[in-house]
Each structure stands twice: as C-alpha cells, then as structure tokens.
Amino acid sequence: MKKIIFATNNKHKLDEIRKITDGSLQILSLADIHCNDEIEETGSTLEENALLKARYIKEKYGYDCFADDTGLEVEVLGGAPGVYSSRYAGEACNPADNMEKLLHALVGLKNRNARFRTVIALLIGNEKHFFEGVVNGKIIEERRGEAGFGYDPIFIPDGYERTFAELGNDVKNQISHRALATRRLAQFLTGQ
Ligand code: ITT
C-alpha cells in the first residue's frame, strides 16, 4: 500500500483524511515517524507555509508528504487575517482574542464577506502539487455556537443560517474548506 506522511499532529485532520481515503492509502502523522520538530510557519502565504512544512519532511526523511495551511480571509480587510489567522491578536492569543479583534475591526461595516481557504501542498516523487478548498460566507456581529474551533462561532457559510459552531462537526466536515481540499487531494492520490 502507498505510504505517505501528513505533516501534522492534529488528530482531527488525520481522522478526516483517513475517512475520505477509506483505507486505500497508509497515511502517517509526524508522531508516527517520531518527528517532534517544531516546523516554523514563516511564509507570507498559505501556499508557502504548506510547502515549507511538506518540504521539511521530504528533505529530512525522504518520504512523500503533504501539509496544509488554512486562513480566514475577510474581504473588507483585504484578505486579513489570512495566513496570520492563528495569531491575529498576537503571538500568545487564543481564539476568543482573535474573534474579538476581528469583530472590533468590522464594527459598523456592511460588507461582512469572508472566506475560509485551505491549501494543501503535496510533494510526491519529484512532483509538487497544490489543492485548494474555499468556503464563502459572512462574519456575524457576535459569537454563536459551541462546536468547532477557531473562528467558527462568527462565520456563517453561504446557503446556511447558522454558524459553523452551531452547525456542528458532522455538517462542517461535509462542507468545509478543509474537506474540499482534502477530497481533491484524496482523488488525486487514489487515482494515481
Ligand atoms: P497545524 O498544527 O496543523 O498547523 P493550526 O492550528 O495552525 O494547525 P491551521 O493552520 O489549519 O491550524 O489554521 C490556522 C488558524 O486558522 C487556526 O488557528 C484557526 O484560528 C483558523 N482556522 C483554521 N481552520 C479553521 C476552521 O475550520 N474553523 C475556524 N477557524 C479555523
């Protein structure tokens, strides 16, 4: 069976792709290859960061590898927080701080358009491929819902009335930016 590394230790992301590829690939995490290195995300785009992580593993261990990065891009803020989504309110901030900063930046603004964008970089053999998943939606004015993580309580995907945090993980995992990008990757890998 084809063996490939997913440069993450996020169990939720691993479970998701294992479910989508349905046992047709052997997908190993960083923990599975005993890699405890902190791979710094120093790029200025999602593409750069995803590639940086995948390249680190490919160069150090020689395995085919893929990695992802995700950001929330708000139209009226020119795409911010984007690649800086996890540390929008500062290095030591938490999701509540990030949401508060974003809600504050949008006070009184009519244009609440935003999108979640996931980019996956795959290094396989001598080839490099990118896969993208996008979900368009709106930032509401206050937090709603408990499920999910990050900015989920303030984001309503287009076509829905509830936030990702209210919709819950089952619905979110069907329609999310990460699920879309992951399905594109899985299609490519299982078709090879
Ligand atoms: P890694 O260890 O895999 O890098 P991470 O927490 O950095 O995990 P991402 O790069 O995927 O996660 O995402 C960066 C930030 O974007 C994340 O910390 C959240 O604030 C936000 N984010 C990403 N995906 C999200 C989602 O599905 N819902 C809400 N917020 C999300």
Side-chain angles (χ1 to χ4, degrees):
M1 198 189 298
K2 210 175 290 177
K3 191 197 282 188
I4 191 152
I5 314 300
F6 185 4
T8 187
N9 276 322
N10 182 321
K11 199 169 168 331
H12 161 83
K13 292 182 185 176
L14 267 170
D15 285 348
E16 184 178 77
I17 187 145
R18 283 181 177 146
K19 221 175 266 167
I20 293 172
T21 50
D22 202 19
S24 60
L25 297 165
Q26 190 183 0
I27 299 170
L28 303 179
S29 69
L30 293 178
D32 293 328
I33 58 167
H34 308 292
C35 172
N36 299 311
D37 304 356
E38 187 66 41
I39 310 170
E40 289 219 40
E41 299 185 25
T42 52
S44 56
T45 61
L46 299 175
E47 283 79 1
E48 272 174 38
N49 274 346
L51 190 56
L52 208 122
K53 288 189 271 185
R55 199 169 266 153
Y56 181 92
I57 297 304
K58 179 96 176 150
E59 283 173 4
K60 184 162 177 182
Y61 298 89
Y63 294 123
D64 289 341
C65 179
F66 63 89
D68 72 341
D69 201 18
T70 296
L72 175 65
E73 301 175 337
V74 179
E75 188 171 281
V76 79
L77 302 179
V83 72
Y84 305 109
S85 293
S86 62
R87 51 204 147 109
Y88 183 46
E91 284 299 334
C93 64
N94 60 34
D97 300 329
N98 286 332
M99 283 190 282
E100 198 175 295
K101 178 167 175 181
L102 183 56
L103 291 179
H104 189 73
L106 298 183
V107 167
L109 297 181
K110 278 222 178 75
N111 180 354
R112 319 278 306 185
N113 296 339
R115 61 181 198 169
F116 274 114
R117 191 163 74 91
T118 294
V119 172
I120 296 175
L122 168 70
L123 294 174
I124 189 162
N126 292 321
E127 292 175 22
K128 172 173 80 186
H129 298 272
F130 288 101
F131 304 88
E132 187 185 64
V134 171
V135 173
N136 292 304
K138 296 223 175 331
I139 304 296
I140 55 170
E141 290 178 4
E142 58 195 13
R143 297 160 54 168
R144 280 176 14 201
E146 302 297 328
F149 69 101
Y151 296 87
D152 282 345
I154 58 171
F155 181 85
I156 297 187
D158 283 354
Y160 292 80
E161 310 257 292
R162 295 190 289 161
T163 65
F164 264 159
E166 291 174 310
L167 287 169
N169 286 336
D170 285 350
V171 175
K172 185 186 166 192
N173 288 342
Q174 287 298 315
I175 63 169
S176 83
H177 39 291
R178 205 166 8 258
L180 289 170
T182 303
R183 260 183 242 134
R184 290 188 175 126
L185 167 78
Q187 226 163 35
F188 177 87
L189 287 174
T190 51
Q192 281 225 322

